Amino acid sequence: MKHAGGVAKLIEMRGPWRHQGFMDRYLLEGNRVSMALECLMRRRRCFLEHPDWKTVPWALDPKSKTTMNYLHDILCDIPGLMEDAELLQDPHLDSETVKEKHLVLSRKILMELKTLYEWRAGWAKKNQGSWWEVPTSCPKTKVVFPTAIHFKSLKLANETTIYNTILLLLRRLGFQVIGPGFDPSGIYLNLPKGVEYGPLYAPRTAPDGRAIATEICRTVEYHLAEERKSAGGLFLLFPLTVACQVFEPDSRETKWLGKTMNRVADSSGFEIGRNLWANSEKVR
């Protein structure tokens, strides 16, 4: 992602108001994730976390903002949360300042988690019946994940994995900053009634990080089907890199993930998959 820095600087200099036209907004949307990921890898906040960058580009045509765009809004906040978490370790800060910053950051993490859960509930209500569970078709994969999750579209599959990736990152921050008292299932929510989640975890119900990472892995078969493997492989790179951090290094899940990332690189030409795997410690 070496090019992301130059593009990011150009987009930032133009400002959010200059990205309201269709092509200008397309430029922003096409680069927003790579810019956020570059900041995430460096653990440094992204200018895209500012509210103007989440509202102004779509202000003239609010309906053009997609469910994935709203998910990316949350992703753009995470680098800043990581930077703030690192700042709490600054030995030059006095105890009162650390206490105040800790409280503010804790509230931010909980609010982001609430927003993410509410996104999941609204998404599930809108797309009822668009995903289902099937027996895994690959004998080698079946040993690790007996069933897979399939979707009506690659867009829905991608939204599922990005949601889970952000959830893993927020959970990690929560335990890091708030500590053992952090309870991802204790967030107060006013969720719509009668929503069926099927094989996917409803908001607050995933028992642990392994369960969330497993949900990501169970979408791989759908993503890498022959008719989708190029685009599907690209969409999987970041989610699988984050998922691998949850499993023990020598576990069968981690070994399977390593082989899958190599498969993505071999079959789709996305060599960055191998590089992400080799440097996966950076997203811890």
Side-chain angles (χ1 to χ4, degrees):
M1 296 190 296
K2 291 183 180 179
H3 68 286
V7 174
K9 184 59 65 177
L10 174 63
I11 289 176
E12 183 179 14
M13 289 176 63
R14 297 183 78 222
W17 289 270
R18 285 182 140 181
H19 292 88
Q20 292 183 316
F22 176 78
M23 291 305 298
D24 295 311
R25 193 172 64 242
Y26 182 80
L27 172 68
L28 172 64
E29 292 175 346
N31 288 280
R32 199 156 68 130
V33 172
S34 62
M35 292 187 290
L37 293 187
E38 184 180 48
C39 293
L40 188 146
M41 300 291 272
R42 294 188 292 108
R43 298 173 185 269
R44 292 295 176 263
R45 66 182 356 97
C46 182
F47 69 91
L48 294 169
E49 73 176 1
H50 192 281
D52 283 349
W53 283 101
K54 300 175 184 178
T55 55
V56 173
W58 296 271
L60 300 181
D61 185 12
K63 291 184 179 179
S64 68
K65 188 163 186 179
T66 66
T67 51
M68 182 62 90
N69 290 150
Y70 284 106
L71 203 52
H72 290 163
D73 285 349
I74 305 173
L75 179 63
C76 290
D77 290 339
I78 292 181
L81 299 178
M82 288 182 165
E83 179 176 337
D84 291 343
E86 283 195 355
L87 288 175
L88 290 177
Q89 308 304 317
D90 187 344
H92 299 99
L93 294 179
D94 62 79
S95 59
E96 281 302 312
T97 300
V98 170
K99 184 177 180 180
E100 180 181 347
K101 288 182 176 295
H102 181 272
L103 181 61
V104 171
L105 180 56
S106 298
R107 287 174 175 170
K108 284 183 179 179
I109 292 170
L110 294 174
M111 183 57 65
E112 295 281 2
L113 193 57
K114 181 177 187 293
T115 302
L116 184 66
Y117 282 152
E118 290 173 345
W119 180 95
R120 172 75 140 190
W123 175 87
K125 182 178 181 180
K126 179 181 177 182
N127 298 292
Q128 290 285 274
S130 297
W131 54 89
W132 55 91
E133 190 174 34
V134 299
T136 302
S137 60
C138 176
K140 293 182 179 179
T141 299
K142 190 174 294 187
V143 176
V144 188
F145 305 109
T147 60
I149 304 173
H150 285 204
F151 300 83
K152 279 190 175 180
S153 71
L154 183 57
K155 170 181 171 293
L156 292 170
N158 188 28
E159 289 170 342
T160 298
T161 55
I162 294 298
Y163 163 84
N164 280 319
T165 304
I166 295 173
L167 179 55
L168 286 175
L169 293 172
L170 285 176
R171 284 172 57 96
R172 185 182 303 161
L173 278 165
F175 285 113
Q176 175 189 343
V177 175
I178 300 172
F182 172 61
D183 180 10
S185 65
I187 308 295
Y188 173 76
L189 300 171
N190 184 19
L191 299 180
K193 306 295 184 182
V195 179
E196 295 293 333
Y197 292 89
L200 300 179
Y201 285 108
R204 299 183 304 193
T205 63
D208 52 33
R210 285 178 60 89
I212 300 165
T214 295
E215 188 168 288
I216 293 174
C217 294
R218 292 172 67 212
T219 71
V220 167
E221 179 177 282
Y222 177 83
H223 274 93
L224 297 185
E226 187 63 30
E227 66 273 22
R228 291 181 292 271
K229 67 180 182 181
S230 183
L234 178 61
F235 292 150
L236 278 174
L237 293 178
F238 179 55
L240 291 183
T241 302
V242 174
C244 82
Q245 306 303 323
V246 177
F247 301 112
E248 293 298 320
D250 295 326
S251 68
R252 62 182 186 178
E253 290 89 353
T254 298
K255 293 175 182 177
W256 177 86
L257 279 164
K259 293 177 181 177
T260 300
M261 294 289 272
N262 285 331
R263 176 186 167 196
V264 170
D266 291 337
S267 64
S268 64
F270 296 123
E271 195 62 29
I272 189 176
R274 251 187 284 271
N275 296 332
L276 277 172
W277 181 258
N279 296 285
S280 58
E281 285 294 319
K282 292 182 180 180
V283 299
R284 281 189 183 275

